[in-house]
Amino acid sequence: MKKLVDRGERVVDDMVAGFLACHAATLEPVPGTPRAVRRRNLMPDAVGVLIGGGSGHEPAFMGLVGEGMADGAAIGNVFASPGVDPILAAIHGVDRGRGVVQIFGNYAGDVMNFGMAAEMAADDGVPVETVLVTDDVASAPSDERQRRRGIAGGLVVFKAAGARAAQGADLEAVAGAARAANDRTRTMGVALAPCVHPGTGQPSFTLGATEVEWGLGIHGEPGVRRGKLMSAADTVDELLTPVLGELAPSRGDRVALLVNGLGATTLMELYILAGDALGRLRERGVETPLVWVGSFVTSMEMAGFSLSVTLLDDELEALLRAPASAPGFSIRG
């Protein structure tokens, strides 16, 4: 697959430089590292919210830094964890004396590197709370949620934490909001075609002309099974069944729905899928006061999408409705 890059070995650094040049009015590099960004004019006397992960998921993670969202993001190579040094620099870069909540997907490299950075920050006098995103129902059974991957539902977790921090809450409360959002969110995705890693030029996996991969991860990790391409409505049913089976919303419950494209799926398709999903939820008597449609947590140019459902209560709904302004996600007040 053709890709528009200048230097294959510097694709991430060039991307970060271009991103910061485009958003220089609101975002800036974290001092001491080329692999982390933060908000300009950070709200004083607030808990810091740091997110991060590998590149290739744009607009996550840099594009989710902004008012009412994350304060900063640490950036790794394509589909790889950020290094300890940029994470540590980012922790210090978003700390305003009240500690930092760091949120990232449950992947071994991220767990190790963010964990080491948190320990080093604590030695420097910065308390850090860690929240793992574990929304992917396909990656482990429900009784082993601690093993699950973090995928598109991370957007909901970041949003809840950013809104709670903007209220001036303390470290424990901001981390608690993030954990509550994660606990109430489930996601499952499907891929129609792979992405191509810019470093290798090779597809992340192969599929037949009419095959799809159910439950894959956002780095191209294998899903739970392969099957034949189906209609949008049937595909939505296939994804919602395990998601709603775990959340078990009752008639009259409220949920947030996130229809997330993986990179190459058109808005035309995503809106068709969203309409089908809303219809299924309506048939169950479930209200959907919050709906987001777009490509927020991608896998470069992978074709496919995921559905995330968040079971709302009054507090979580208020946090998710709060104003936010980031390059990749915004909510007007």
Side-chain angles (χ1 to χ4, degrees), residues 188-209:
M188 186 168 172
V190 62
L192 281 66
C195 62
V196 175
H197 194 294
T200 66
Q202 299 299 313
S204 50
F205 53 88
T206 58
L207 285 173

Side-chain angles (χ1 to χ4, degrees), residues 299-315:
S299 189
M300 291 191 291
E301 75 279 22
M302 187 179 291
F305 77 106
S306 62
L307 291 179
S308 300
V309 178
T310 301
L311 187 61
L312 300 172
D313 58 18
D314 291 344
E315 180 178 358

Side-chain angles (χ1 to χ4, degrees), residues 87-320:
I87 297 170
L88 181 60
I91 290 172
H92 286 293
V94 301
D95 177 52
R96 281 91 87 197
R98 298 188 65 190
V100 174
V101 176
Q102 58 178 15
I103 311 168
F104 51 90
N106 187 25
Y107 298 93
D110 293 292
V111 170
M112 178 176 68
N113 290 350
F114 277 90
M116 292 175 62
E119 291 177 1
M120 296 167 70
D123 290 340
D124 295 336
V126 180
V128 178
E129 285 280 341
T130 296
V131 179
L132 299 180
V133 180
T134 57
D135 58 311
D136 181 13
V137 300
S139 54
S142 59
D143 59 352
E144 298 181 34
R145 282 200 65 212
Q146 74 279 1
R147 292 181 43 231
R148 286 182 169 174
R149 301 177 294 222
I151 50 177
L155 173 68
V156 179
V157 183
F158 307 154
K159 175 68 182 71
R164 194 73 178 96
Q167 295 174 345
D170 63 18
L171 184 65
E172 183 178 346
V174 175
R179 293 188 180 110
N182 182 66
D183 289 345
R184 287 175 163 266
T185 301
R186 302 289 189 278
T187 304
M188 186 168 172
V190 62
L192 281 66
C195 62
V196 175
H197 194 294
T200 66
Q202 299 299 313
S204 50
F205 53 88
T206 58
L207 285 173
T210 61
E211 281 187 316
V212 300
E213 181 92 13
W214 297 100
L216 81 166
I218 55 174
H219 308 103
E221 304 98 327
V224 292
R225 63 180 176 83
R226 291 192 174 183
K228 294 296 184 182
L229 179 66
M230 302 187 296
S231 69
D234 288 343
T235 303
V236 164
D237 286 341
E238 195 77 13
L239 297 182
L240 279 182
T241 296
V243 167
L244 297 181
E246 287 199 14
L247 289 176
S250 301
R251 184 169 293 274
D253 280 346
R254 307 185 312 278
V255 302
L257 174 67
L258 170 63
V259 183
N260 176 69
L262 294 178
T265 307
T266 64
L267 273 173
M268 174 186 287
E269 294 164 277
L270 293 179
Y271 278 118
I272 292 169
L273 295 158
D276 289 333
L278 288 170
R280 297 298 181 268
L281 291 166
R282 189 165 51 246
E283 289 170 2
R284 293 176 64 111
V286 176
E287 300 176 15
T288 50
L290 295 173
V291 182
W292 301 304
V293 179
S295 295
F296 306 105
V297 182
T298 65
S299 189
M300 291 191 291
E301 75 279 22
M302 187 179 291
F305 77 106
S306 62
L307 291 179
S308 300
V309 178
T310 301
L311 187 61
L312 300 172
D313 58 18
D314 291 344
E315 180 178 358
L316 182 53
E317 182 173 348
L319 293 175
L320 298 183

